Amino acid sequence: MTLPLNHFKRALKEGRQQIGLWNTIAGPVVAEALAGTGFDWLLIDTEHSLTDVPDVLGMLQAVSAYPISPVVRPAANDPVLFKRLLDFGAQTLLVPYVQTAKEAQAAVAAMRYPPRGIRGAGGTIRANRFGTVDDYMNRAEQELCLLVQVETAATLDQIEAIAAVDGVDGLFIGPNDLAATMGYTGNPGHPVVKTAILDAIGRIAATGKAAGILTLDRDFAQECMEKGSTFTAVGVDLVTLLGGVRALARDFGRG
Ligand SMILES: O=C(O)C(=O)C[C@H](O)[C@@H](O)CO
């Protein structure tokens, strides 16, 4: 079999806007249902959700028939988590809380097999279609994409250093954690935080690496895209679900 292409990675390299959705509801049913909604990418979140590593395999399989790019977020910058998710066939990882170039280099190493990295070598894995992708270990890296999260006030000073790390494909601004570490806990929409986010996106874009954000504010999403965000998440499944259900309850005098 041929090595599966990472269309998301190619889109970022070509500067083609990718509109995404956060998937926090575990399991293949919701993942597949969301995969058919027209978004470019789907963030399978194992950090802030009930989705755990074993769930991800079935979710990747469920979305594989749809024209959507799965992006998987491990709970930490942990090579053991990377190893399992990459073996499941994840080709793009969004890694939380990367604060320095050194931590970014560690994430890159975890994405790569020796001698360029430390990724553990499994033979019969979904990533190599159970041993049918020719020379997978020497070719895998070309179709893997590493996105790291800039999400503390201190990390804002490290953007250029992190972006300069070979193997980092994009930097994502985590608005809630950034707001909290800036002293605006629970208020990512504060003008001071928004200004910092827009400045960070512009700086990331200026490095040539891809810039990304998650915001439920449609006007701010537009501002972020105009500033240079090219992987722009605009919704969270559970937020949208509960918003619609609560509105329905109110329509019938409930809730
Ligand atoms: O800091 C953030 O905000 C993010 O990284 C995104 C959140 O973790 C996500 O769960 C949406 O709230």
Side-chain angles (χ1 to χ4, degrees), residues 39 66 100 166 175 216 231:
F39 284 97
Y66 295 79
T100 64
D166 172 55
L216 308 185
F231 58 108

Side-chain angles (χ1 to χ4, degrees), residues 22 24 45 47-48 73 149 151 172-178 214 236:
W22 232 251
T24 63
D45 191 7
E47 183 190 13
H48 291 295
R73 181 162 74 169
Q149 292 200 217
E151 49 185 344
F172 173 93
I173 305 298
N176 290 289
D177 281 311
L178 178 62
L214 162 66
V236 178

Side-chain angles (χ1 to χ4, degrees), residues 21-204:
L21 179 73
W22 232 251
N23 171 207
T24 63
I25 302 172
V29 172
V30 170
E32 181 172 0
L34 296 176
T37 54
F39 284 97
D40 301 310
W41 57 288
L42 184 69
L43 189 283
I44 297 175
D45 191 7
T46 72
E47 183 190 13
H48 291 295
S49 79
L50 294 178
T51 303
D52 204 344
V53 170
D55 301 315
V56 173
L57 175 59
M59 295 167 80
L60 289 172
Q61 291 171 318
V63 307
S64 64
Y66 295 79
I68 193 168
S69 298
V71 177
V72 182
R73 181 162 74 169
N77 186 4
D78 177 342
V80 172
L81 295 178
F82 283 36
K83 173 172 56 180
R84 298 205 64 202
L85 297 173
L86 295 175
D87 282 2
F88 287 169
Q91 291 184 294
T92 303
L93 297 186
L94 175 65
V95 183
Y97 233 81
V98 172
Q99 301 189 84
T100 64
K102 186 175 180 181
E103 290 177 9
Q105 288 162 350
V108 171
M111 300 283 283
R112 295 174 169 174
Y113 287 115
R116 288 165 52 87
I118 60 166
R119 180 184 173 189
T124 308
I125 54 178
R126 180 175 178 268
N128 68 20
R129 296 308 183 261
F130 308 104
T132 61
V133 174
D134 295 334
D135 199 21
Y136 172 77
M137 288 183 67
N138 289 311
R139 299 168 59 212
E141 183 183 328
Q142 71 191 43
E143 298 304 332
L144 295 183
C145 181
L146 173 63
L147 309 170
V148 298
Q149 292 200 217
V150 171
E151 49 185 344
T152 69
T155 312
L156 292 176
D157 295 336
Q158 303 300 319
I159 282 173
E160 286 76 13
I162 292 170
V165 173
D166 172 55
V168 170
D169 297 292
L171 289 77
F172 173 93
I173 305 298
N176 290 289
D177 281 311
L178 178 62
T181 58
M182 289 179 68
Y184 300 94
T185 304
N187 190 6
H190 190 283
V192 171
V193 177
K194 282 185 164 183
T195 300
I197 290 173
L198 291 173
D199 176 69
I201 288 173
R203 288 167 54 201
I204 295 166

